[in-house]
């Protein structure tokens, strides 16, 4: 054994040192040439580089890093890649804000450059956080979706899906963000409760002096009203069905139609159908073949169809129209109401529904396949699969994959100027930006024209990040990519099942007719200490660097691992991280004690030790612990694994065993050299086991202790490459555990009495009398007599097989004891 451990340790220094060394030694590199070991591939979600690696990311990455480390020790050739999902609205929105421009104010090239610069800055920050957290990423795999090598893959996947008939272009209603000026997918619409105003407006009946009262939150859409609807069984209004009404302000005349979707109890039970106020309007228009009046521009203003309100924003138009309605005596009343409205997930602007020509991927036809595949996937926890299934079944529209933005992978399409024929890039042309290059054909295959124009839209960023399972495996770049496909595990937050897990599923089903991942590990949300979702606006926000700077990664990872059941929401509480930190100190001090006691110990595989009852007791318990931790990790029950290992280390190993063997170690002249050797062997063996079981959760401190105490003899270059311990049957000893439990209960009983009497623990007991209640217990206690005497500082001990009066021993109602001091 080397030098004993230093008394103090600087966890931040230790962590930084190992981050460097691990990278230098290539500990976490995937070995492409190793064909002997089974592989385990993780489909690491490439994050949006927002610059901030928040506590939710800490939770997520800790989960799957624990799995990666565990699998590596189990002998798998682990593939743990890391990339960056660069494109997308969030970066564009930020660039627009920092440079105070809109996307059209500068050239696309310049705008793209700004986006790339911002991204690079953020990637550095996020990469540092992932490294600091101690994630065992293979950094040789690092990639960026904004690079042409990645464009190539996204574009190829598009071409393949097109050829298979899953892509189409068409003019359909789509979710539209008027601030971002682009179509967005259902998954990018968030729903918020906001206070709205219900306007009760009089619609005069044609050829009649009566009017119908209609309640609407969107009077600005009056010029786009194409019908008025009532429920077909609503007795109040049945007689009006088929008649016509004047649309106030707009001069139009529309029909009153029956529609089952009308809720008679909402407002007045009469609604106006506009193109489009919401998704329900889309359905009604389609069903009744109503005309469409597209009244909004792409930036959310009324166009010429809005008549005198042309050019006003929806907010301005609402004000003006309400004023005019009032003046005309057509506004009966207004009422406030709480309403749920769809907003752009990237910028929070209320979403409109516009009809625009877009590219779509057929996803709804895949719903049955998605459900089937979701049932084949192993989910941790199992009930999460319903989130994916329910989402797939809830979708009304196909996935709109084109975006009217700049910072995205270009859609590899041109059009014939003369006949409009769609020219899709050939596989050999990609990566390509059709805005910069012409199609590599002489003339239009349909009409022979030689003039083309390019598609200017880009792909939804999910088109990039939804093929990662294949990309990570090496699709298009390696012959043997099938080795790592489907991914063994896809980790995901509960909030992005509807996007990440879903899009991965549909894309890979189309491309390869196969599910992309075999299992899915879900983490919940991080809550603030007040139990609400952690958020800057709620003032319950804690920044990751603050936590890592104060307590380091190993303590923070313990918070993530122990915080709650897999998939459940986990509150961030400083005391939980502090507990993790105190555990590290306990572990360090215990290791230091052990290293001090092992100065003259030479590990020898073949040596026979005369193990004492408590040695056998803890060795057996360590085996049981190994089984419990292994079983828990196999089921991704990370918190259970963590609880088991911390309890054992702290309470069984440190509080009980270390105390009980001190006397034997300190006084070999009294107990004999053999018994000291047995204690040394036990300490050496059990501590190593503890370090190995802890290694996936607290990788830094275990690596440090391993190198200071075990590396020379064990000779693995890292504890993280040492084989995971398996149950050693020869040490499982039920009898020893039963006996040891009783002996430890006696020791604990005496110590507890001293504590209650406020005596120092090393106070000498003149005489301890134990009434064991029967012969069997008496003989067990006699076996452990030496440990009891040594640990409790007892001058004289008497163990009687009969019952007697005195303090009881917890868990053993028949056994009592008395003490004399
Ligand atoms: Zn937006
Ligand atoms: Zn043509």
């Amino acid at each position: 054994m080397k030098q004993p451990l230093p008394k103090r340790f600087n966890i931040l220094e230790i962590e930084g040192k190992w981050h460097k060394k691990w990278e230098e030694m290539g500990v976490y590199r995937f070995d492409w040439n190793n064909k002997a070991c089974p592989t385990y591939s993780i489909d690491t979600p490439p994050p949006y580089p927002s610059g901030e690696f928040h506590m939710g990311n800490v939770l997520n990455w800790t989960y799957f890093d624990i799995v990666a480390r565990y699998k590596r020790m189990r002998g798998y050739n682990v593939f743990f890649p890391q990339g960056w999902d660069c494109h997308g609205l969030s970066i564009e929105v930020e660039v627009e804000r920092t440079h105070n421009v809109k996307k059209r104010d500068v050239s696309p090239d310049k705008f793209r450059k700004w986006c790339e610069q911002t991204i690079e800055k953020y990637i550095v920050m996020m990469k540092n956080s992932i490294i600091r957290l101690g994630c065992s990423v293979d950094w040789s795999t690092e990639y960026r979706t904004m690079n042409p090598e990645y464009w190539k893959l996204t574009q190829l996947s598009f071409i393949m899906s097109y050829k298979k008939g899953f892509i189409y272009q068409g003019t359909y209603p789509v979710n539209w963000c008027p601030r971002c000026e682009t179509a967005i997918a259902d998954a990018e619409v968030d729903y918020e409760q906001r206070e709205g105003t219900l306007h009760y407006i009089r619609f005069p009946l044609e050829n009649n002096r009566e009017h119908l009262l209609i309640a609407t939150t969107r009077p600005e859409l009056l010029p786009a009203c194409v019908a008025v609807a009532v429920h077909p069984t609503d007795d109040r209004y049945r007689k009006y069905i088929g008649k016509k009404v004047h649309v106030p302000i707009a001069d139009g005349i529309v029909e009153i139609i029956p529609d089952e979707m009308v809720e008679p109890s909402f407002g007045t039970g009469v609604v106006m159908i506009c193109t489009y106020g919401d998704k329900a309007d889309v359905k009604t228009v389609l069903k009744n073949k109503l005309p469409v009046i597209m009244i909004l521009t792409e930036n959310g203003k009324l166009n010429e169809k809005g008549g005198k309100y042309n050019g006003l924003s929806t907010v301005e138009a609402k004000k003006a129209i309400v004023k005019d309605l009032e003046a005309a005596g057509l506004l009966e009343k207004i009422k406030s109401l709480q309403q749920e409205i769809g907003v752009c997930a990237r910028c929070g602007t209320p979403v409109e529904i516009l009809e625009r020509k877009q590219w779509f991927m057929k996803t709804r036809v895949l719903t049955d396949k998605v459900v089937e595949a979701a049932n084949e996937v192993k989910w941790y926890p199992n009930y999460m699969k319903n989130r994916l299934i329910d989402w797939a079944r809830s979708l009304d529209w196909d996935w709109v994959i084109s975006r009217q933005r700049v910072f995205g992978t270009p859609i590899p399409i041109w059009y014939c100027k003369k006949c409009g024929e769609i020219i899709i890039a050939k596989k050999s042309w990609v990566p390509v930006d059709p805005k910069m290059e012409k199609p590599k054909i002489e003339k239009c295959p349909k009409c022979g024209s030689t003039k083309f124009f390019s598609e200017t839209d880009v792909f939804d960023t999910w088109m990039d990040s939804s093929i990662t399972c294949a990309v990570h495996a090496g699709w298009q770049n390696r012959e043997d990519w099938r080795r790592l496909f489907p991914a063994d595990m896809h980790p995901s937050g509960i909030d992005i099942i509807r996007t990440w897990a879903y899009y991965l599923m549909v894309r890979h089903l189309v491309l390869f007719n196969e599910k992309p991942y075999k299992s899915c590990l879900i983490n919940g949300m991080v809550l603030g200490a007040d139990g609400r979702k952690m958020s800057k606006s709620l003032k319950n926000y804690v920044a990751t660097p603050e936590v890592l700077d104060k307590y380091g990664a190993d303590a923070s990872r313990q918070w993530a691992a122990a915080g709650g059941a897999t998939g459940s929401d986990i509150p961030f509480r400083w005391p939980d991280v502090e507990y993790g930190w105190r555990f590290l100190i306990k572990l360090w001090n215990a290791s230091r004690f052990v290293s001090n006691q092992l100065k003259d110990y030479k590990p020898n595989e073949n040596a026979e030790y005369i193990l004492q009852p408590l040695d056998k007791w803890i060795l057996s318990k360590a085996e049981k612990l190994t089984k419990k931790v292994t079983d828990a990790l196999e089921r991704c029950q990370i918190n259970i694994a963590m609880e088991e290992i911390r309890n054992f280390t702290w309470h069984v190993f440190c509080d009980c065993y270390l105390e009980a063997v001190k006397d034997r170690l300190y006084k070999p002249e009294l107990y004999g050299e053999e018994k000291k050797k047995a204690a040394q062997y036990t300490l050496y063996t059990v501590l190593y086991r503890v370090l190995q079981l802890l290694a996936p959760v607290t990788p830094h401190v275990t690596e440090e202790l391993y190198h200071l105490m075990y590396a020379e003899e064990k000779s693995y270059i890292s504890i993280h490459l040492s084989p995971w311990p398996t149950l050693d049957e020869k040490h499982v000893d039920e009898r020893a555990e039963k006996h040891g439990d009783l002996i430890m209960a006696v020791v604990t009983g005496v110590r507890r009495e001293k504590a209650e009497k406020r005596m120092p623990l090393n106070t000498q007991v003149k005489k301890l009398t134990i009434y064991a209640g029967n012969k069997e217990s008496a003989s067990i206690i006699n076996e452990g007599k030496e440990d009891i005497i040594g640990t409790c500082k007892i001058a004289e001990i008497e163990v009687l097989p009969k019952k007697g009066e005195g303090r009881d021993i917890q868990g053993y109602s028949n056994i009592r004891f008395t003490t004399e001091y």
Side-chain angles (χ1 to χ4, degrees):
M1 180 69 29
K2 284 188 188 173
Q3 290 295 308
L5 302 188
K7 194 165 182 183
R8 298 197 157 272
F9 67 107
N10 182 329
I11 193 69
L12 298 184
E13 244 169 51
I14 289 171
E15 291 179 0
K17 177 180 80 184
W18 285 110
H19 298 152
K20 257 202 219 98
K21 284 203 173 181
W22 286 333
E23 194 54 28
E24 281 163 19
M25 303 191 311
V27 174
Y28 307 125
R29 292 276 181 279
F30 178 73
D31 185 354
W32 289 98
N33 298 320
N34 177 346
K35 300 271 151 72
C37 298
T39 58
Y40 190 85
S41 59
I42 294 173
D43 176 48
T44 319
Y48 268 129
S50 64
E52 196 188 10
F53 195 76
H54 52 73
M55 290 311 287
N57 297 132
V58 169
L59 178 65
N60 196 358
W61 260 256
T62 300
Y63 271 16
F64 55 88
D65 186 55
I66 288 172
V67 173
R69 289 178 180 280
Y70 166 68
K71 291 288 179 184
R72 213 176 273 116
M73 289 174 81
R74 286 297 304 248
Y76 287 88
N77 188 4
V78 171
F79 183 67
F80 188 172
Q82 184 66 63
W84 310 103
D85 183 17
C86 307
H87 289 134
L89 265 178
S90 47
I91 288 293
E92 290 197 52
V93 170
E94 164 147 10
V95 165
E96 286 179 329
R97 279 186 190 143
T98 37
H99 294 271
N100 198 21
V101 292
K102 297 279 275 189
K103 64 178 178 183
R104 285 193 233 289
D105 300 345
V106 289
S107 75
D109 230 28
K110 186 164 189 183
F111 194 82
R112 219 193 131 84
K113 284 250 154 56
W114 279 343
C115 291
E116 286 175 2
Q117 283 164 4
T118 312
I119 285 278
E120 284 300 340
K121 192 177 71 192
Y122 287 157
I123 286 176
V124 171
M125 292 160 74
M126 293 192 81
K127 184 173 175 178
N128 278 340
S129 298
I130 292 175
I131 292 172
R132 271 202 76 179
L133 189 61
C135 296
S136 55
V137 166
D138 176 353
W139 287 107
S140 70
T141 62
E142 193 179 355
Y143 64 91
R144 288 156 170 73
T145 60
M146 66 182 175
N147 288 351
E149 307 90 80
Y150 201 99
W151 282 14
K152 179 180 160 183
L153 302 170
T154 302
Q155 291 180 332
L156 268 179
S157 71
F158 170 77
I159 295 167
M160 284 169 65
S161 307
Y162 186 95
K163 297 261 149 83
K164 289 186 174 198
F166 280 89
I167 304 287
Y168 63 94
Q169 190 184 37
T171 303
Y172 296 98
V174 288
N175 300 301
W176 188 273
C177 174
R179 200 222 69 89
C180 300
E181 294 184 39
T182 181
I184 57 176
D186 281 342
E188 291 165 291
V189 179
D190 285 343
Y191 288 89
E192 282 183 8
Q193 287 292 327
R194 289 196 184 173
E195 176 139 338
T197 309
L198 202 51
H199 302 78
Y200 289 75
I201 302 168
R202 297 193 185 106
F203 277 50
L205 278 147
E206 194 189 30
N207 309 324
N208 197 321
R209 306 184 86 182
E210 286 179 67
H211 66 257
L212 277 183
L213 199 57
I214 288 178
T216 176
T217 55
R218 304 210 58 187
E220 69 274 23
L221 294 181
L222 274 172
C225 175
V226 291
V228 162
V230 297
H231 196 274
T233 63
D234 191 334
D235 286 337
R236 294 172 295 175
Y237 304 116
R238 223 162 27 176
K239 59 184 176 207
Y240 296 115
I241 292 173
K243 297 210 160 85
K244 292 188 169 168
V245 285
H246 290 275
V247 181
I249 302 294
D251 285 345
I253 292 179
V254 299
E255 195 178 318
I256 300 160
I257 60 167
D259 193 332
E260 309 251 333
M261 284 195 294
V262 175
E263 182 59 59
S265 62
F266 176 80
T268 60
V270 190
V271 300
M272 63 176 196
I273 308 298
C274 299
T275 49
Y276 293 99
D278 56 20
K279 276 192 165 183
D281 286 344
V282 177
K283 280 188 187 153
T284 307
V285 167
L286 197 70
K287 200 166 59 187
N288 297 284
K289 300 196 175 62
L290 296 170
V292 174
I293 304 172
M294 272 321 318
I295 192 182
L296 293 180
T297 63
E298 297 184 350
N299 58 4
K301 291 191 167 147
L302 270 61
N303 58 22
E304 70 289 345
K305 300 205 173 100
K308 68 182 270 211
Y309 310 103
N310 182 5
L312 299 184
S313 72
T314 48
V315 178
E316 291 162 346
K318 182 183 278 186
K319 260 192 208 148
I321 287 176
V322 168
K323 206 172 149 203
D324 290 348
L325 283 170
E326 252 179 330
L330 294 170
L331 184 68
E332 186 152 312
K333 61 175 175 179
I334 58 169
K335 218 170 101 180
S336 70
L337 90 164
Q338 282 297 315
Q339 59 176 159
E340 190 180 60
I341 59 161
V343 300
C344 170
R346 298 288 162 223
C347 74
T349 305
V351 166
E352 297 289 355
I353 294 170
L354 260 55
E355 268 193 8
R356 284 293 182 280
K357 202 176 199 185
Q358 300 287 346
W359 286 97
F360 294 87
M361 177 171 151
K362 288 183 193 168
T363 48
R364 288 174 305 164
V365 294
L366 291 164
T367 301
D368 288 346
K369 276 188 147 184
V370 170
V371 173
E372 195 185 315
N375 280 313
E376 285 172 21
V377 169
K378 178 96 191 93
W379 294 79
Y380 301 103
N382 188 46
Y383 61 86
M384 288 295 175
K385 83 170 162 208
N386 295 322
R387 294 223 166 203
L388 180 64
I389 292 172
D390 293 348
W391 172 254
R393 286 186 171 147
S394 77
L395 290 169
D396 298 319
W397 296 345
D398 279 335
W399 175 14
V400 51
I401 56 171
S402 46
R403 294 290 179 276
Q404 292 64 55
R405 298 294 312 185
V406 180
F407 193 46
T409 302
I411 300 178
I413 293 275
W414 297 262
Y415 305 92
C416 170
K417 241 180 193 164
K418 199 167 158 203
C419 75
E421 177 75 353
I422 291 169
I423 318 285
I424 184 162
K426 293 208 162 61
K427 286 184 182 180
S428 58
W429 300 358
V430 298
V432 65
D433 183 351
K435 293 188 285 297
M436 316 295 279
E437 287 176 56
K438 286 201 170 73
K440 294 182 177 60
I441 47 170
E442 301 272 307
K443 52 187 202 285
C444 168
K446 199 169 160 197
C447 75
S449 162
T450 53
K451 298 245 183 326
F452 306 99
F453 65 98
S454 68
E455 175 59 83
T456 53
D457 287 356
V458 296
F459 284 124
D460 175 6
T461 184
W462 285 107
M463 282 292 281
D464 300 336
S465 50
S466 57
I467 51 172
T468 52
C469 293
V471 172
H472 289 158
W475 173 66
Q476 290 298 327
N477 289 319
R478 294 188 66 93
E479 292 271 309
D480 58 351
W481 71 279
R482 282 274 170 181
R483 217 179 141 195
L484 296 176
F485 183 86
D488 289 284
M489 171 171 286
H490 169 69
S492 179
I494 190 170
D495 56 330
I496 51 173
I497 292 174
R498 67 177 190 174
T499 46
W500 223 307
Y502 176 75
Y503 286 144
L504 282 171
M505 198 55 102
V506 290
R507 294 297 308 288
H508 291 85
L509 283 174
V510 165
L511 292 170
F512 311 110
N513 201 20
E514 217 176 313
K515 63 175 187 283
Y517 43 85
K518 296 178 199 160
S519 71
C520 199
L521 171 64
I522 303 296
N523 66 276
M525 298 287 97
V526 174
L527 309 175
D530 56 1
R532 293 189 293 174
K533 194 178 168 189
M534 192 184 264
S535 129
K536 282 177 183 161
S537 60
L538 291 174
K539 295 198 169 30
N540 62 0
Y541 186 84
V542 180
T544 305
E546 199 187 330
V547 185
L548 292 178
D549 286 348
K550 196 160 179 197
Y551 292 110
D554 281 356
S556 308
R557 291 169 64 108
Q558 288 179 66
W559 157 76
T566 308
S568 64
D569 290 349
I570 291 178
F572 177 83
R573 287 183 293 240
W574 281 106
D576 293 347
V577 190
E578 280 152 20
Y579 183 82
W581 169 238
R582 287 206 310 279
F583 176 74
L584 295 180
I585 296 173
K586 190 83 187 170
L587 178 69
W588 186 272
N589 289 340
S591 304
R592 189 166 162 269
F593 169 80
V594 172
S595 74
N596 270 314
Q597 298 311 315
L598 296 182
K599 271 182 266 182
D600 58 345
Y601 174 75
K602 283 238 169 343
N604 178 356
E605 281 285 305
N606 303 316
E608 289 283 336
Y609 296 100
I610 302 171
L611 296 174
Q612 297 303 295
L614 286 184
D615 302 334
K616 291 182 193 161
W617 169 76
I618 196 159
L619 285 166
S620 182
K621 283 202 180 287
E623 294 303 333
K624 294 268 185 69
L625 170 75
T626 304
K627 185 167 184 332
K628 282 184 206 157
V629 172
T630 306
D631 288 350
L633 288 178
E634 282 296 323
R635 291 193 292 264
C636 286
Q637 292 172 330
I638 293 165
N639 62 320
I640 292 176
M642 184 78 247
E643 283 314 308
E644 291 287 349
I645 176 76
R646 278 207 301 210
N647 278 338
F648 175 87
T649 308
W650 200 311
H651 303 299
V652 180
F653 186 59
C654 295
D655 290 353
C656 292
Y657 185 73
L658 291 192
E659 293 305 324
V661 292
K662 274 180 182 166
D663 226 42
R664 209 173 348 136
L665 292 162
Y666 294 162
K667 300 171 189 160
E669 67 284 1
L670 212 64
Y671 298 92
E673 207 45 57
E674 288 300 321
K675 290 184 183 173
K676 178 182 165 184
K677 284 267 170 293
Q680 286 178 314
Y681 164 79
T682 309
L683 288 174
Y684 182 84
T685 307
V686 174
L687 179 62
Y688 183 58
R689 182 66 56 90
V690 163
L691 294 180
Q692 279 203 298
L693 297 180
L694 271 174
V697 187
T698 57
H700 308 89
V701 79
T702 50
E703 183 79 305
E704 180 75 4
L705 291 169
Y706 168 77
H707 279 271
L708 289 170
M709 297 177 67
Y710 291 97
E712 203 174 308
E713 191 252 331
K714 302 281 182 191
S715 72
Y716 307 109
I717 64 161
S718 161
I719 191 171
H720 303 296
L721 296 180
S722 70
W724 185 257
T726 48
L727 188 71
D728 187 348
E729 294 284 356
K730 88 169 186 273
H731 278 150
V732 176
D733 187 338
E734 299 294 345
R735 193 173 163 274
E737 282 198 51
K738 196 176 149 211
H739 291 197
D741 284 343
L742 174 52
I743 295 164
M744 280 317 307
V746 173
V747 169
T748 308
V750 177
R751 285 163 71 96
R752 193 170 287 144
E753 186 193 65
K754 287 183 185 175
E756 274 170 26
K757 293 187 169 171
R758 295 180 189 282
M759 292 173 173
L761 284 180
N762 58 5
T763 309
Q764 212 191 46
V765 182
K766 261 192 215 144
K767 188 177 179 190
L768 172 67
T769 308
I770 301 172
Y771 300 98
N774 58 43
K775 271 190 188 155
E776 197 203 343
S777 298
S779 98
I780 295 170
I781 295 168
N782 271 319
E783 268 177 53
K785 219 162 159 180
E786 281 184 351
D787 289 317
I788 298 170
I789 289 171
T791 319
C792 301
K793 310 285 172 240
I794 288 158
E796 193 193 338
I797 185 165
E798 188 177 20
V799 185
L800 302 166
K802 58 178 184 184
K803 290 191 177 181
E805 291 299 313
R807 279 178 72 97
D808 60 347
I809 286 173
Q810 240 171 31
Y812 300 86
S813 53
N814 279 331
I815 306 177
R816 307 267 157 155
F817 70 91
T818 58
T819 46
E820 287 168 35
Y821 289 93

